[in-house]
Amino acid sequence: MASRTPKDTLDALFETPKTLKIELAPVFTPGLSSDSTKTLVRLLKDNHERFHIFFNELGFRNHASHHLLAIYALGAPSELLETAYKSHTDYQRAAFDSPGDITESNWRTHVGDERYYRAYLKFFSNAALSRGVGATLEKYIFSTSANWVEAVQDEKKQPQMLNRFFSGVLHPLIHAGHGLEFGSLGMVVEGIAMTCVTQTDFDELVPRSTFIGGQASTFSSLRSMLSLSSKPANSTHAFTIAARMLKDPDLASGSACAAPRNFKAEDEGVLPLREVLEKRGESIRKYAAGWTVNANNKEEVREKIDELFFFVILLYGVSGLQGENKFKADFFMMHFVTTSIFLPAYLEALSPTSQSVLLRTYFASVLSIWVARGRPALPIAEFYAQTSPTLTAPGPVPTPDSSALTTDALAPNAWLPVLQSTLLHPNEHLTKVQRTLAHLAKLYGDWPAGMWADTELEGAENLDGTLFVRVAGLTMKRLGWLREGEAMGEWDYTGFWEHK
């Protein structure tokens, strides 16, 4: 049994959640109450104290807090919060004390060792409470000293915190992102501690030269760019980069990686990211390098965020509908969606240099995972032809009174049945996906087709603000409208490889 966190510290780590008062940040759906808020805070504290961040020996992450925060933001009452939490606690690993303390002098020494998670929690709690969130992220994730130490020759012993932050299918980034969005210092601390005990996945994307190498390092180049000018850089659009990658035979599934032989979730081979990066990491890094952002130029940053939001939904949603086959709700690319909602919160917390590094590393990571899933095509025109922005939930339908404005559109706002059903679904990933899609629909629902017509991606001229509700409908159908009586569906692990 792990030692308890002092009450005053725990209270400071988990205060009442609040929304960020910044552009592009989500807002809470009506339905909150003082009772549900008290329940949420109590359960977040309980999770922090009782459980390890990994629920099994394979390093699968504890998602209980993600589920709680997502449904709270959608208006879940206390009883639903309690039920959702109970659905996770049955399989969690109990927290345990670490073999030793983590200090300023040794915190880099034990990275990658999950036994030190509890000690990292205590260390980063003290750091965040004294420094603040932004300064803590800058020092322990984005600084040169948090990533590469020149005196250490063995690269396996380097801290590589930025690499770890994006590893594990982006989970440390997601976890800390919840903390930034909801004003939960405890969630940020847990996310940084998770980063420390996560193995590195992106060695080829975040090499030594990112931080060390004098004026040639990525950080030095970014600092020079940001200090010299606020004018937009000559950046290649994300859609154009994807279009070029789709035409590159070296990135085809048979060339970039071999198709996995089985598709069990617990099999590491289901995401051959290591093979892809070892064989094609340099190529992917060069493609990603064409996408730049000058964080001193707020207009450019806004344009880049708009671009990323549409791009990640394309990769998950449009690629999932290939030909006449059923929609593949890809488990790994789904995390592109659940990560994206937190990007505005990160931009609010970080310096311009770190903002640029965050966005560029995120973009490169997304491209790499896309290739590792088989580099599926993006048939935009076909997607629009096969989907609809109007949704009707299955099951019994109401009989409107004759005085109703219309009897033809029983669900005039498609998002209301989607979110109602989402609240009762036990899969926390579905909740996060649909909350993100609903938020993006608020931001971009009125965007007309043609906004992206000047890119090289075929069919991009068709993209409009209905993209998000179309993807939400496909996702709901794949995972199941449980509230309405459908059976439970599941995420897809089979990828998009060409099997012979």
Side-chain angles (χ1 to χ4, degrees):
M1 183 174 179
S3 302
R4 306 291 293 180
T5 303
K7 184 179 182 304
D8 58 342
T9 301
L10 196 62
D11 289 343
L13 291 175
F14 294 97
E15 298 180 324
T16 299
K18 53 185 177 292
T19 57
L20 281 175
K21 306 300 183 183
I22 61 172
E23 188 181 25
L24 300 182
V27 297
F28 296 158
T29 300
L32 307 184
S33 68
S34 60
D35 189 43
S36 65
T37 300
K38 291 175 183 177
T39 299
L40 172 70
V41 172
R42 173 172 56 79
L43 296 178
L44 291 176
K45 289 178 178 178
D46 186 76
N47 182 62
H48 184 84
E49 291 294 273
R50 287 176 58 194
F51 302 120
H52 195 279
I53 202 64
F54 297 154
F55 67 77
N56 64 18
E57 301 297 333
L58 296 174
F60 286 18
R61 273 78 180 170
N62 177 347
H63 285 66
S65 55
H66 301 191
H67 199 174
L68 290 172
L69 288 165
I71 61 174
Y72 171 80
L74 292 176
S78 292
E79 297 79 6
L80 188 57
L81 290 168
E82 295 274 12
T83 302
Y85 185 55
K86 182 64 167 59
S87 73
H88 293 273
T89 57
D90 290 344
Y91 61 87
Q92 299 300 327
R93 291 168 67 203
F96 55 86
D97 285 329
S98 301
D101 293 334
I102 292 295
T103 67
E104 189 63 43
S105 61
N106 75 353
W107 75 267
R108 300 173 188 83
T109 304
H110 300 290
V111 291
D113 188 343
E114 64 151 320
R115 297 177 303 159
Y116 283 86
Y117 172 71
R118 195 75 186 169
Y120 277 120
L121 272 186
K122 181 178 180 181
F123 174 73
F124 289 119
S125 294
N126 293 332
L129 287 169
S130 61
R131 291 174 174 272
V133 169
T136 301
L137 287 169
E138 294 283 359
K139 178 177 174 60
Y140 296 105
I141 300 292
F142 291 92
S143 69
T144 296
S145 62
N147 289 277
W148 293 92
V149 180
E150 290 194 78
V152 177
Q153 298 303 311
D154 186 351
E155 294 196 357
K156 293 182 180 180
K157 295 183 179 180
Q158 294 285 0
Q160 297 194 68
M161 288 292 284
L162 184 66
N163 185 340
R164 297 177 197 276
F165 200 48
F166 286 86
S167 297
V169 198
L170 309 172
H171 275 95
L173 182 73
I174 293 171
H175 201 98
H178 280 89
L180 294 177
E181 183 198 329
F182 289 88
S184 174
L185 195 60
M187 289 290 294
V188 177
V189 165
E190 289 175 7
I192 301 175
M194 181 198 295
T195 305
C196 288
V197 299
T198 296
Q199 304 302 318
T200 61
D201 289 340
F202 296 109
D203 295 9
E204 288 79 9
L205 297 187
V206 193
R208 177 186 289 264
S209 60
T210 303
F211 299 94
I212 295 176
Q215 294 303 311
S217 73
T218 302
F219 260 43
S220 294
S221 298
L222 280 171
R223 290 191 185 100
S224 297
M225 179 188 77
L226 293 173
S227 63
L228 290 173
S229 173
S230 62
K231 296 180 180 180
N234 186 22
S235 177
T236 305
H237 198 283
F239 293 6
T240 294
I241 290 173
R244 295 173 183 177
M245 292 177 70
L246 282 168
K247 296 176 181 178
D248 188 340
D250 288 341
L251 298 180
S253 59
S255 177
C257 63
R261 295 184 178 181
N262 63 67
F263 304 102
K264 295 179 181 178
E266 64 270 16
D267 181 6
E268 292 182 1
V270 79
L271 181 66
L273 184 60
R274 171 52 45 211
E275 180 186 357
V276 165
L277 290 177
E278 287 177 352
K279 295 174 67 174
R280 302 290 184 257
E282 182 62 24
S283 175
I284 294 172
R285 191 155 66 94
K286 287 180 179 178
Y287 277 113
W291 191 85
T292 61
V293 55
N294 182 347
N296 271 342
N297 186 321
K298 298 305 180 185
E299 181 180 350
E300 181 182 350
V301 171
R302 171 59 197 262
E303 291 174 355
K304 292 296 185 180
I305 291 295
D306 295 340
E307 189 177 317
L308 277 177
F309 279 148
F310 272 84
F311 184 61
V312 298
I313 306 308
L314 271 180
L315 294 186
Y316 162 69
V318 174
S319 72
L321 196 61
Q322 302 282 338
E324 297 298 325
N325 297 325
K326 70 177 183 179
F327 178 66
K328 278 190 176 182
D330 187 79
F331 177 78
F332 295 94
M333 292 198 293
M334 163 269 293
H335 288 84
F336 303 164
V337 182
T338 61
T339 309
S340 65
I341 195 171
F342 304 118
L343 294 178
Y346 275 105
L347 298 183
E348 181 71 8
L350 298 173
S351 67
T353 300
S354 295
Q355 290 176 37
S356 295
V357 170
L358 174 93
L359 293 177
R360 293 176 69 179
T361 307
Y362 177 69
F363 181 64
S365 302
V366 164
L367 291 179
S368 300
I369 296 172
W370 173 51
V371 173
R373 297 304 288 149
R375 197 197 59 179
L378 301 171
I380 298 173
E382 292 86 345
F383 173 88
Y384 271 80
Q386 295 178 43
T387 59
S388 171
T390 60
L391 302 177
T392 301
V397 296
T399 303
D401 184 78
S402 60
S403 61
L405 290 176
T406 179
T407 58
D408 296 329
L410 297 183
N413 184 337
W415 286 106
L416 298 180
V418 166
L419 295 181
Q420 281 281 68
S421 195
T422 295
L423 274 168
L424 295 187
H425 203 289
N427 190 286
E428 74 280 2
H429 289 103
L430 175 69
T431 307
K432 295 190 291 180
V433 166
Q434 302 294 47
R435 186 173 85 94
T436 301
L437 291 171
H439 172 58
L440 297 183
K442 291 178 187 176
L443 295 177
Y444 306 110
D446 62 347
W447 279 32
M451 298 291 291
W452 311 111
D454 59 350
T455 72
E456 295 178 16
L457 184 61
E458 184 178 353
E461 68 277 3
N462 295 288
L463 290 171
D464 65 2
T466 67
L467 172 67
F468 311 104
V469 72
R470 292 170 188 266
V471 175
L474 291 171
T475 303
M476 205 75 228
K477 184 176 181 180
R478 182 70 185 95
L479 272 292
W481 294 81
L482 270 60
R483 175 180 176 272
E484 291 72 21
E486 285 192 350
M488 173 91 79
E490 60 185 9
W491 298 104
D492 290 281
Y493 292 88
T494 55
F496 301 87
W497 296 279
E498 296 179 3
H499 294 275
K500 299 180 179 180

